Amino acid sequence: MSFAEIVDGPFWYFSATVFVIGVLWRLVGMLNMGSKTDFSTPRSSGSAAALSINITRFFPRADFWSRIRLQVVAGYLFHVGLFALLFFAAPHIEFYREYVTGFGWVALPEWAFILVSEIAFLGLMLLILHRMLNPVTRAISDRGDYIGSILIFLVMLTGCLALARSHEVLRVTHFFLAELLLVYFPFSALIHTFTFPFSRGFMGAHYGRRGVKV
Amino acid sequence: MAIDMNVFRGFAEQIKMLPQMARPTDCPDNERVKHAKAIFSTKIDASNATQLESCVHCGLCAEACQFYIQTEDPELTPIHKLDLLKRYYRREKAPLRWLHRLIEPDITEADLEATQHLVYESCTECGRCGLVCPMGIDIAAMVHVTREGLAHAGLIPAGLRAVEQEQGSRGTVFGVGPDQLRQAADELRAKGHEVPIDKDKADVLVLTSTIDVLLFKDALEATVKVMNHLGLDWTIHSCAFEGANFGLLSGYSEVQKSASERITSQAIALGARMVIVPECGHAYPALRWAGANAHGAPLPFEVMALSEFLGREVMAGRLQLNPIGADKHVTYHDPCKIGRHGGVFDEPRAVLQALGVDMREMPSNRTANFCCGGGAGLFVMEKAEPMRNAAFDLKRQQVEATGAGSVVTACGSCRINLMAGADRTHWGTRIESLVELVGDNLK
């Protein structure tokens, strides 16, 4: 079996399985820890606040804007760009149709794909540079933060290079790196992709009961 | 009534003596880690777990913290203060604990000691960092869990420990017990005020605090004037008058619970429908939000911060005030524990509006307010002085940006920290109590 056949076959199934089971294992493990009953009389609904904060927290408060705009802008460039690439790039939609969902949807035109790629790259580069150069992020970052960033960078880079579809080796390399990322995902801080609605929700509910919109 | 600055300075000097009064803890040195872990194990739930797992180390929390903003010291990054708890969580509680045990060292006593400065002397648990976190991590809540772990490991800073030990063993704070309360009441009676103490039954139980009995007597007098003016069936009770809860501040839950239950059981015995918490920031969440959990059931009475009560009475038209006039320019400092942690924002502003003053908001106000720097017990921690000063300097800039000649607040700790800063820097801005303004202007 060639390397390409392994990447397209068994390693894909392995990485997808690790990803799904790993994410579920981690999520269920966290949520299974339960919460204690709060006997205090609430001022307003915690549940409504939990839902609300999940929307409002996408928009930074004006009070902080002047101090955090670089990270926020870079974060949005990267995350929105990555989301668009992951779910609206034609080769990805084709992949999902063939391997996951059985159906496809409308893809970005190629010029938009290239534009979105550049936006995502710009955001990622800014975030990595900020992590390395800012004294705070440099002090609180660990190896996992760099491994995750570099892996995503390489996946994106090889994905762009593979877009021409003229070199099979680039496609296989891109797919292999994406599979590595899937394996790494449940063991890393990338899990925030799935935990943030819960962490926001718990915080929103806590303050919401007290009548405070955070 | 102006505060006698010599009395204030004497009080500040007494605070400096606290570390010498602290007794050694009951926790043997070789059991500190075990005790801290036992608390962490009990306290970590799904909320903490999802929040600890969600951090992406973006560092935005630093940009909200008054201590980081003033010092630019990365050590003071709020999320860094949770490293100890995070390490415990990863190794002992996390779904991937088997993996983390292979790559991460266990926590040690040295780690506990290194964390003491971070969670006690460099954090007021003000919660401002949580407002900026894109993941919604409530760092303040987990700093408190860490404090609880350290407290049960016997690692409360000496100044705070001295007061917590006093409240835990004698039920007093700064030596103020029933005799000192009665003496303060007699002084007020000598001024012509009726001060009901130890009634058998009352609609309203009014708490006070040691600081008001010793130092801010203006706040105590004004509270008495308001209660009588409203014609309430109220009392102060000598067995349960202290609103301050140094168990909550230190993280020592046994003392927190006993201090809270003392009030709860007395209020139930009185048949009170309402308990009013004095101008003391943390006393409000200690009873309003944590009191029921200490009691193990919903409280059969309403708990109100004094500023909240005054505002509601004003808004209901029951408390009418003489306007001071718009030539008095004031700004309002929201105490973190009453505002951001308590939800009381509109009521004190309604009072100021009723007083007809020219109210000017600070650049960061209400939910985004900066802490005075003395909260969560920092005002009794000697080593926290540089932090308190740094926070005051920021607050001073914010107050000065409004052009107000007076900063009004509704928390004794905030007043102490602001007055200490003003005294240190010869700052001329008046620092006033909300209830004092009300008491002086009753219609």
Side-chain angles (χ1 to χ4, degrees), chain B residues 32-67:
Chain B
R32 291 193 197 284
V33 172
K34 192 177 99 184
H35 284 257
K37 280 183 171 183
I39 292 296
F40 293 159
S41 174
T42 312
K43 298 288 174 179
I44 290 177
D45 60 6
S47 168
N48 305 137
T50 51
Q51 294 182 359
L52 286 170
E53 299 261 19
S54 292
C55 182
V56 289
H57 298 156
C58 67
L60 291 188
C61 50
E63 306 300 338
C65 172
Q66 73 266 25
F67 295 145

PDB file of all heavy atoms in Angstrom, chain B residues 32-67:
ATOM      1  N   ARG B  32      -0.049  20.259  53.511  1.00  0.00           N
ATOM      2  CA  ARG B  32      -0.633  21.404  52.800  1.00  0.00           C
ATOM      3  C   ARG B  32      -1.183  20.997  51.429  1.00  0.00           C
ATOM      4  O   ARG B  32      -2.296  21.364  51.064  1.00  0.00           O
ATOM      5  CB  ARG B  32       0.414  22.512  52.628  1.00  0.00           C
ATOM      6  CG  ARG B  32       0.814  23.185  53.920  1.00  0.00           C
ATOM      7  CD  ARG B  32       1.597  24.454  53.627  1.00  0.00           C
ATOM      8  NE  ARG B  32       2.333  24.944  54.778  1.00  0.00           N
ATOM      9  CZ  ARG B  32       1.796  25.573  55.812  1.00  0.00           C
ATOM     10  NH1 ARG B  32       0.496  25.765  55.865  1.00  0.00           N
ATOM     11  NH2 ARG B  32       2.546  26.002  56.812  1.00  0.00           N
ATOM     12  N   VAL B  33      -0.374  20.272  50.687  1.00  0.00           N
ATOM     13  CA  VAL B  33      -0.789  19.887  49.331  1.00  0.00           C
ATOM     14  C   VAL B  33      -2.054  19.042  49.391  1.00  0.00           C
ATOM     15  O   VAL B  33      -2.995  19.247  48.619  1.00  0.00           O
ATOM     16  CB  VAL B  33       0.351  19.144  48.608  1.00  0.00           C
ATOM     17  CG1 VAL B  33      -0.140  18.573  47.280  1.00  0.00           C
ATOM     18  CG2 VAL B  33       1.534  20.077  48.375  1.00  0.00           C
ATOM     19  N   LYS B  34      -2.094  18.116  50.343  1.00  0.00           N
ATOM     20  CA  LYS B  34      -3.256  17.239  50.485  1.00  0.00           C
ATOM     21  C   LYS B  34      -4.522  18.051  50.758  1.00  0.00           C
ATOM     22  O   LYS B  34      -5.577  17.825  50.149  1.00  0.00           O
ATOM     23  CB  LYS B  34      -3.005  16.251  51.639  1.00  0.00           C
ATOM     24  CG  LYS B  34      -3.991  15.116  51.723  1.00  0.00           C
ATOM     25  CD  LYS B  34      -3.629  14.154  52.826  1.00  0.00           C
ATOM     26  CE  LYS B  34      -4.474  14.445  54.057  1.00  0.00           C
ATOM     27  NZ  LYS B  34      -4.134  13.639  55.215  1.00  0.00           N
ATOM     28  N   HIS B  35      -4.414  19.029  51.659  1.00  0.00           N
ATOM     29  CA  HIS B  35      -5.586  19.841  52.004  1.00  0.00           C
ATOM     30  C   HIS B  35      -6.046  20.692  50.818  1.00  0.00           C
ATOM     31  O   HIS B  35      -7.246  20.816  50.573  1.00  0.00           O
ATOM     32  CB  HIS B  35      -5.270  20.741  53.202  1.00  0.00           C
ATOM     33  CG  HIS B  35      -5.259  19.997  54.507  1.00  0.00           C
ATOM     34  ND1 HIS B  35      -6.300  20.063  55.399  1.00  0.00           N
ATOM     35  CD2 HIS B  35      -4.351  19.153  55.048  1.00  0.00           C
ATOM     36  CE1 HIS B  35      -6.018  19.288  56.440  1.00  0.00           C
ATOM     37  NE2 HIS B  35      -4.834  18.736  56.256  1.00  0.00           N
ATOM     38  N   ALA B  36      -5.077  21.281  50.123  1.00  0.00           N
ATOM     39  CA  ALA B  36      -5.436  22.116  48.963  1.00  0.00           C
ATOM     40  C   ALA B  36      -6.118  21.263  47.897  1.00  0.00           C
ATOM     41  O   ALA B  36      -7.155  21.643  47.346  1.00  0.00           O
ATOM     42  CB  ALA B  36      -4.188  22.789  48.393  1.00  0.00           C
ATOM     43  N   LYS B  37      -5.562  20.084  47.657  1.00  0.00           N
ATOM     44  CA  LYS B  37      -6.140  19.203  46.628  1.00  0.00           C
ATOM     45  C   LYS B  37      -7.559  18.783  46.991  1.00  0.00           C
ATOM     46  O   LYS B  37      -8.417  18.673  46.116  1.00  0.00           O
ATOM     47  CB  LYS B  37      -5.272  17.959  46.457  1.00  0.00           C
ATOM     48  CG  LYS B  37      -4.032  18.178  45.606  1.00  0.00           C
ATOM     49  CD  LYS B  37      -3.314  16.857  45.459  1.00  0.00           C
ATOM     50  CE  LYS B  37      -2.191  16.939  44.449  1.00  0.00           C
ATOM     51  NZ  LYS B  37      -1.547  15.636  44.262  1.00  0.00           N
ATOM     52  N   ALA B  38      -7.778  18.537  48.273  1.00  0.00           N
ATOM     53  CA  ALA B  38      -9.118  18.107  48.695  1.00  0.00           C
ATOM     54  C   ALA B  38     -10.147  19.190  48.375  1.00  0.00           C
ATOM     55  O   ALA B  38     -11.265  18.893  47.926  1.00  0.00           O
ATOM     56  CB  ALA B  38      -9.120  17.797  50.194  1.00  0.00           C
ATOM     57  N   ILE B  39      -9.761  20.447  48.581  1.00  0.00           N
ATOM     58  CA  ILE B  39     -10.683  21.549  48.273  1.00  0.00           C
ATOM     59  C   ILE B  39     -10.874  21.671  46.762  1.00  0.00           C
ATOM     60  O   ILE B  39     -11.998  21.790  46.272  1.00  0.00           O
ATOM     61  CB  ILE B  39     -10.143  22.878  48.860  1.00  0.00           C
ATOM     62  CG1 ILE B  39     -10.190  22.827  50.384  1.00  0.00           C
ATOM     63  CG2 ILE B  39     -10.928  24.071  48.327  1.00  0.00           C
ATOM     64  CD1 ILE B  39     -11.591  22.719  50.974  1.00  0.00           C
ATOM     65  N   PHE B  40      -9.768  21.627  46.026  1.00  0.00           N
ATOM     66  CA  PHE B  40      -9.883  21.739  44.564  1.00  0.00           C
ATOM     67  C   PHE B  40     -10.817  20.651  44.021  1.00  0.00           C
ATOM     68  O   PHE B  40     -11.639  20.891  43.149  1.00  0.00           O
ATOM     69  CB  PHE B  40      -8.511  21.607  43.892  1.00  0.00           C
ATOM     70  CG  PHE B  40      -7.566  22.751  44.183  1.00  0.00           C
ATOM     71  CD1 PHE B  40      -6.193  22.601  44.024  1.00  0.00           C
ATOM     72  CD2 PHE B  40      -8.045  23.976  44.607  1.00  0.00           C
ATOM     73  CE1 PHE B  40      -5.312  23.644  44.277  1.00  0.00           C
ATOM     74  CE2 PHE B  40      -7.179  25.035  44.865  1.00  0.00           C
ATOM     75  CZ  PHE B  40      -5.811  24.862  44.702  1.00  0.00           C
ATOM     76  N   SER B  41     -10.657  19.455  44.569  1.00  0.00           N
ATOM     77  CA  SER B  41     -11.457  18.330  44.088  1.00  0.00           C
ATOM     78  C   SER B  41     -12.949  18.591  44.304  1.00  0.00           C
ATOM     79  O   SER B  41     -13.775  18.317  43.443  1.00  0.00           O
ATOM     80  CB  SER B  41     -11.032  17.057  44.829  1.00  0.00           C
ATOM     81  OG  SER B  41     -11.883  16.006  44.476  1.00  0.00           O
ATOM     82  N   THR B  42     -13.279  19.157  45.462  1.00  0.00           N
ATOM     83  CA  THR B  42     -14.684  19.428  45.777  1.00  0.00           C
ATOM     84  C   THR B  42     -15.241  20.560  44.931  1.00  0.00           C
ATOM     85  O   THR B  42     -16.407  20.541  44.547  1.00  0.00           O
ATOM     86  CB  THR B  42     -14.813  19.843  47.259  1.00  0.00           C
ATOM     87  OG1 THR B  42     -14.087  18.918  48.040  1.00  0.00           O
ATOM     88  CG2 THR B  42     -16.255  19.873  47.720  1.00  0.00           C
ATOM     89  N   LYS B  43     -14.409  21.550  44.685  1.00  0.00           N
ATOM     90  CA  LYS B  43     -14.920  22.785  44.078  1.00  0.00           C
ATOM     91  C   LYS B  43     -14.990  22.751  42.553  1.00  0.00           C
ATOM     92  O   LYS B  43     -15.758  23.495  41.960  1.00  0.00           O
ATOM     93  CB  LYS B  43     -14.051  23.978  44.496  1.00  0.00           C
ATOM     94  CG  LYS B  43     -14.059  24.240  45.995  1.00  0.00           C
ATOM     95  CD  LYS B  43     -15.384  24.814  46.436  1.00  0.00           C
ATOM     96  CE  LYS B  43     -15.446  24.938  47.954  1.00  0.00           C
ATOM     97  NZ  LYS B  43     -16.710  25.522  48.407  1.00  0.00           N
ATOM     98  N   ILE B  44     -14.143  21.938  41.920  1.00  0.00           N
ATOM     99  CA  ILE B  44     -14.145  21.957  40.454  1.00  0.00           C
ATOM    100  C   ILE B  44     -15.373  21.223  39.924  1.00  0.00           C
ATOM    101  O   ILE B  44     -15.596  20.058  40.232  1.00  0.00           O
ATOM    102  CB  ILE B  44     -12.843  21.337  39.897  1.00  0.00           C
ATOM    103  CG1 ILE B  44     -11.663  22.274  40.192  1.00  0.00           C
ATOM    104  CG2 ILE B  44     -12.964  21.107  38.389  1.00  0.00           C
ATOM    105  CD1 ILE B  44     -10.324  21.742  39.744  1.00  0.00           C
ATOM    106  N   ASP B  45     -16.157  21.953  39.156  1.00  0.00           N
ATOM    107  CA  ASP B  45     -17.359  21.374  38.564  1.00  0.00           C
ATOM    108  C   ASP B  45     -17.344  21.589  37.044  1.00  0.00           C
ATOM    109  O   ASP B  45     -16.320  22.000  36.482  1.00  0.00           O
ATOM    110  CB  ASP B  45     -18.614  21.981  39.210  1.00  0.00           C
ATOM    111  CG  ASP B  45     -18.687  23.493  39.014  1.00  0.00           C
ATOM    112  OD1 ASP B  45     -17.837  24.052  38.290  1.00  0.00           O
ATOM    113  OD2 ASP B  45     -19.595  24.122  39.572  1.00  0.00           O
ATOM    114  N   ALA B  46     -18.460  21.334  36.408  1.00  0.00           N
ATOM    115  CA  ALA B  46     -18.513  21.440  34.941  1.00  0.00           C
ATOM    116  C   ALA B  46     -18.200  22.862  34.478  1.00  0.00           C
ATOM    117  O   ALA B  46     -17.576  23.049  33.428  1.00  0.00           O
ATOM    118  CB  ALA B  46     -19.888  21.011  34.448  1.00  0.00           C
ATOM    119  N   SER B  47     -18.638  23.831  35.250  1.00  0.00           N
ATOM    120  CA  SER B  47     -18.386  25.229  34.886  1.00  0.00           C
ATOM    121  C   SER B  47     -16.881  25.522  34.863  1.00  0.00           C
ATOM    122  O   SER B  47     -16.338  26.019  33.875  1.00  0.00           O
ATOM    123  CB  SER B  47     -19.096  26.146  35.892  1.00  0.00           C
ATOM    124  OG  SER B  47     -18.668  27.467  35.737  1.00  0.00           O
ATOM    125  N   ASN B  48     -16.204  25.186  35.965  1.00  0.00           N
ATOM    126  CA  ASN B  48     -14.751  25.395  36.019  1.00  0.00           C
ATOM    127  C   ASN B  48     -14.047  24.591  34.935  1.00  0.00           C
ATOM    128  O   ASN B  48     -13.116  25.071  34.287  1.00  0.00           O
ATOM    129  CB  ASN B  48     -14.170  24.961  37.379  1.00  0.00           C
ATOM    130  CG  ASN B  48     -14.834  25.629  38.551  1.00  0.00           C
ATOM    131  OD1 ASN B  48     -15.119  24.995  39.547  1.00  0.00           O
ATOM    132  ND2 ASN B  48     -15.098  26.911  38.423  1.00  0.00           N
ATOM    133  N   ALA B  49     -14.502  23.349  34.750  1.00  0.00           N
ATOM    134  CA  ALA B  49     -13.822  22.450  33.808  1.00  0.00           C
ATOM    135  C   ALA B  49     -13.879  23.006  32.387  1.00  0.00           C
ATOM    136  O   ALA B  49     -12.856  23.113  31.702  1.00  0.00           O
ATOM    137  CB  ALA B  49     -14.459  21.061  33.860  1.00  0.00           C
ATOM    138  N   THR B  50     -15.086  23.391  31.943  1.00  0.00           N
ATOM    139  CA  THR B  50     -15.188  23.890  30.560  1.00  0.00           C
ATOM    140  C   THR B  50     -14.415  25.192  30.409  1.00  0.00           C
ATOM    141  O   THR B  50     -13.855  25.465  29.346  1.00  0.00           O
ATOM    142  CB  THR B  50     -16.656  24.111  30.142  1.00  0.00           C
ATOM    143  OG1 THR B  50     -17.309  24.893  31.137  1.00  0.00           O
ATOM    144  CG2 THR B  50     -17.386  22.813  29.967  1.00  0.00           C
ATOM    145  N   GLN B  51     -14.381  25.982  31.475  1.00  0.00           N
ATOM    146  CA  GLN B  51     -13.662  27.254  31.378  1.00  0.00           C
ATOM    147  C   GLN B  51     -12.148  27.043  31.386  1.00  0.00           C
ATOM    148  O   GLN B  51     -11.420  27.697  30.640  1.00  0.00           O
ATOM    149  CB  GLN B  51     -14.113  28.186  32.508  1.00  0.00           C
ATOM    150  CG  GLN B  51     -15.584  28.582  32.311  1.00  0.00           C
ATOM    151  CD  GLN B  51     -16.109  29.538  33.357  1.00  0.00           C
ATOM    152  OE1 GLN B  51     -15.405  29.924  34.269  1.00  0.00           O
ATOM    153  NE2 GLN B  51     -17.358  29.926  33.218  1.00  0.00           N
ATOM    154  N   LEU B  52     -11.675  26.124  32.214  1.00  0.00           N
ATOM    155  CA  LEU B  52     -10.228  25.852  32.219  1.00  0.00           C
ATOM    156  C   LEU B  52      -9.797  25.248  30.879  1.00  0.00           C
ATOM    157  O   LEU B  52      -8.685  25.475  30.412  1.00  0.00           O
ATOM    158  CB  LEU B  52      -9.869  24.902  33.363  1.00  0.00           C
ATOM    159  CG  LEU B  52      -9.889  25.510  34.772  1.00  0.00           C
ATOM    160  CD1 LEU B  52      -9.754  24.417  35.829  1.00  0.00           C
ATOM    161  CD2 LEU B  52      -8.796  26.548  34.952  1.00  0.00           C
ATOM    162  N   GLU B  53     -10.676  24.478  30.270  1.00  0.00           N
ATOM    163  CA  GLU B  53     -10.330  23.829  29.001  1.00  0.00           C
ATOM    164  C   GLU B  53     -10.434  24.777  27.814  1.00  0.00           C
ATOM    165  O   GLU B  53      -9.961  24.469  26.735  1.00  0.00           O
ATOM    166  CB  GLU B  53     -11.274  22.638  28.752  1.00  0.00           C
ATOM    167  CG  GLU B  53     -11.214  21.544  29.811  1.00  0.00           C
ATOM    168  CD  GLU B  53     -10.358  20.364  29.395  1.00  0.00           C
ATOM    169  OE1 GLU B  53      -9.538  20.535  28.479  1.00  0.00           O
ATOM    170  OE2 GLU B  53     -10.516  19.286  29.997  1.00  0.00           O
ATOM    171  N   SER B  54     -11.110  25.906  28.008  1.00  0.00           N
ATOM    172  CA  SER B  54     -11.380  26.791  26.871  1.00  0.00           C
ATOM    173  C   SER B  54     -10.290  27.829  26.624  1.00  0.00           C
ATOM    174  O   SER B  54     -10.302  28.487  25.585  1.00  0.00           O
ATOM    175  CB  SER B  54     -12.707  27.531  27.089  1.00  0.00           C
ATOM    176  OG  SER B  54     -13.773  26.638  27.021  1.00  0.00           O
ATOM    177  N   CYS B  55      -9.390  27.996  27.560  1.00  0.00           N
ATOM    178  CA  CYS B  55      -8.408  29.084  27.435  1.00  0.00           C
ATOM    179  C   CYS B  55      -7.482  28.852  26.238  1.00  0.00           C
ATOM    180  O   CYS B  55      -6.946  27.764  26.054  1.00  0.00           O
ATOM    181  CB  CYS B  55      -7.577  29.192  28.703  1.00  0.00           C
ATOM    182  SG  CYS B  55      -6.389  30.553  28.623  1.00  0.00           S
ATOM    183  N   VAL B  56      -7.334  29.904  25.421  1.00  0.00           N
ATOM    184  CA  VAL B  56      -6.438  29.809  24.265  1.00  0.00           C
ATOM    185  C   VAL B  56      -5.184  30.665  24.467  1.00  0.00           C
ATOM    186  O   VAL B  56      -4.449  30.924  23.521  1.00  0.00           O
ATOM    187  CB  VAL B  56      -7.158  30.216  22.959  1.00  0.00           C
ATOM    188  CG1 VAL B  56      -8.172  29.161  22.580  1.00  0.00           C
ATOM    189  CG2 VAL B  56      -7.820  31.579  23.076  1.00  0.00           C
ATOM    190  N   HIS B  57      -4.979  31.099  25.685  1.00  0.00           N
ATOM    191  CA  HIS B  57      -3.779  31.885  26.018  1.00  0.00           C
ATOM    192  C   HIS B  57      -3.637  33.117  25.122  1.00  0.00           C
ATOM    193  O   HIS B  57      -2.562  33.394  24.619  1.00  0.00           O
ATOM    194  CB  HIS B  57      -2.521  31.007  25.924  1.00  0.00           C
ATOM    195  CG  HIS B  57      -2.543  29.864  26.888  1.00  0.00           C
ATOM    196  ND1 HIS B  57      -1.838  28.714  26.693  1.00  0.00           N
ATOM    197  CD2 HIS B  57      -3.200  29.680  28.041  1.00  0.00           C
ATOM    198  CE1 HIS B  57      -2.045  27.880  27.697  1.00  0.00           C
ATOM    199  NE2 HIS B  57      -2.881  28.447  28.530  1.00  0.00           N
ATOM    200  N   CYS B  58      -4.740  33.817  24.960  1.00  0.00           N
ATOM    201  CA  CYS B  58      -4.695  35.016  24.107  1.00  0.00           C
ATOM    202  C   CYS B  58      -4.189  36.224  24.877  1.00  0.00           C
ATOM    203  O   CYS B  58      -3.754  37.210  24.283  1.00  0.00           O
ATOM    204  CB  CYS B  58      -6.080  35.309  23.532  1.00  0.00           C
ATOM    205  SG  CYS B  58      -7.308  35.802  24.766  1.00  0.00           S
ATOM    206  N   GLY B  59      -4.288  36.187  26.210  1.00  0.00           N
ATOM    207  CA  GLY B  59      -3.754  37.272  27.036  1.00  0.00           C
ATOM    208  C   GLY B  59      -4.631  38.508  27.113  1.00  0.00           C
ATOM    209  O   GLY B  59      -4.238  39.510  27.707  1.00  0.00           O
ATOM    210  N   LEU B  60      -5.828  38.449  26.535  1.00  0.00           N
ATOM    211  CA  LEU B  60      -6.698  39.633  26.580  1.00  0.00           C
ATOM    212  C   LEU B  60      -7.054  40.013  28.013  1.00  0.00           C
ATOM    213  O   LEU B  60      -7.271  41.193  28.313  1.00  0.00           O
ATOM    214  CB  LEU B  60      -7.985  39.397  25.785  1.00  0.00           C
ATOM    215  CG  LEU B  60      -7.870  39.289  24.263  1.00  0.00           C
ATOM    216  CD1 LEU B  60      -9.251  39.249  23.629  1.00  0.00           C
ATOM    217  CD2 LEU B  60      -7.092  40.451  23.690  1.00  0.00           C
ATOM    218  N   CYS B  61      -7.122  39.014  28.889  1.00  0.00           N
ATOM    219  CA  CYS B  61      -7.514  39.294  30.278  1.00  0.00           C
ATOM    220  C   CYS B  61      -6.579  40.305  30.933  1.00  0.00           C
ATOM    221  O   CYS B  61      -6.996  41.090  31.788  1.00  0.00           O
ATOM    222  CB  CYS B  61      -7.593  38.001  31.086  1.00  0.00           C
ATOM    223  SG  CYS B  61      -6.148  36.934  30.958  1.00  0.00           S
ATOM    224  N   ALA B  62      -5.313  40.294  30.515  1.00  0.00           N
ATOM    225  CA  ALA B  62      -4.357  41.250  31.099  1.00  0.00           C
ATOM    226  C   ALA B  62      -4.791  42.686  30.819  1.00  0.00           C
ATOM    227  O   ALA B  62      -4.608  43.581  31.656  1.00  0.00           O
ATOM    228  CB  ALA B  62      -2.959  41.005  30.543  1.00  0.00           C
ATOM    229  N   GLU B  63      -5.383  42.881  29.643  1.00  0.00           N
ATOM    230  CA  GLU B  63      -5.739  44.239  29.225  1.00  0.00           C
ATOM    231  C   GLU B  63      -6.925  44.808  29.989  1.00  0.00           C
ATOM    232  O   GLU B  63      -7.285  45.962  29.802  1.00  0.00           O
ATOM    233  CB  GLU B  63      -6.023  44.262  27.715  1.00  0.00           C
ATOM    234  CG  GLU B  63      -4.908  43.701  26.852  1.00  0.00           C
ATOM    235  CD  GLU B  63      -3.598  44.452  27.002  1.00  0.00           C
ATOM    236  OE1 GLU B  63      -3.632  45.624  27.426  1.00  0.00           O
ATOM    237  OE2 GLU B  63      -2.533  43.862  26.711  1.00  0.00           O
ATOM    238  N   ALA B  64      -7.566  43.965  30.823  1.00  0.00           N
ATOM    239  CA  ALA B  64      -8.690  44.447  31.627  1.00  0.00           C
ATOM    240  C   ALA B  64      -8.312  44.637  33.089  1.00  0.00           C
ATOM    241  O   ALA B  64      -9.064  45.223  33.853  1.00  0.00           O
ATOM    242  CB  ALA B  64      -9.843  43.456  31.533  1.00  0.00           C
ATOM    243  N   CYS B  65      -7.142  44.132  33.466  1.00  0.00           N
ATOM    244  CA  CYS B  65      -6.756  44.091  34.884  1.00  0.00           C
ATOM    245  C   CYS B  65      -6.028  45.372  35.287  1.00  0.00           C
ATOM    246  O   CYS B  65      -5.010  45.726  34.679  1.00  0.00           O
ATOM    247  CB  CYS B  65      -5.860  42.881  35.126  1.00  0.00           C
ATOM    248  SG  CYS B  65      -5.144  42.835  36.779  1.00  0.00           S
ATOM    249  N   GLN B  66      -6.526  46.029  36.317  1.00  0.00           N
ATOM    250  CA  GLN B  66      -5.906  47.304  36.715  1.00  0.00           C
ATOM    251  C   GLN B  66      -4.459  47.112  37.159  1.00  0.00           C
ATOM    252  O   GLN B  66      -3.641  48.008  36.996  1.00  0.00           O
ATOM    253  CB  GLN B  66      -6.713  48.010  37.817  1.00  0.00           C
ATOM    254  CG  GLN B  66      -6.645  47.406  39.197  1.00  0.00           C
ATOM    255  CD  GLN B  66      -7.789  46.441  39.456  1.00  0.00           C
ATOM    256  OE1 GLN B  66      -8.348  45.870  38.522  1.00  0.00           O
ATOM    257  NE2 GLN B  66      -8.148  46.245  40.707  1.00  0.00           N
ATOM    258  N   PHE B  67      -4.163  45.955  37.705  1.00  0.00           N
ATOM    259  CA  PHE B  67      -2.798  45.735  38.176  1.00  0.00           C
ATOM    260  C   PHE B  67      -1.836  45.554  37.001  1.00  0.00           C
ATOM    261  O   PHE B  67      -0.720  46.050  37.018  1.00  0.00           O
ATOM    262  CB  PHE B  67      -2.745  44.523  39.120  1.00  0.00           C
ATOM    263  CG  PHE B  67      -3.519  44.730  40.393  1.00  0.00           C
ATOM    264  CD1 PHE B  67      -4.191  43.680  40.995  1.00  0.00           C
ATOM    265  CD2 PHE B  67      -3.583  45.975  41.001  1.00  0.00           C
ATOM    266  CE1 PHE B  67      -4.912  43.865  42.168  1.00  0.00           C
ATOM    267  CE2 PHE B  67      -4.307  46.176  42.171  1.00  0.00           C
ATOM    268  CZ  PHE B  67      -4.971  45.109  42.751  1.00  0.00           C
TER     269      PHE B  67
END
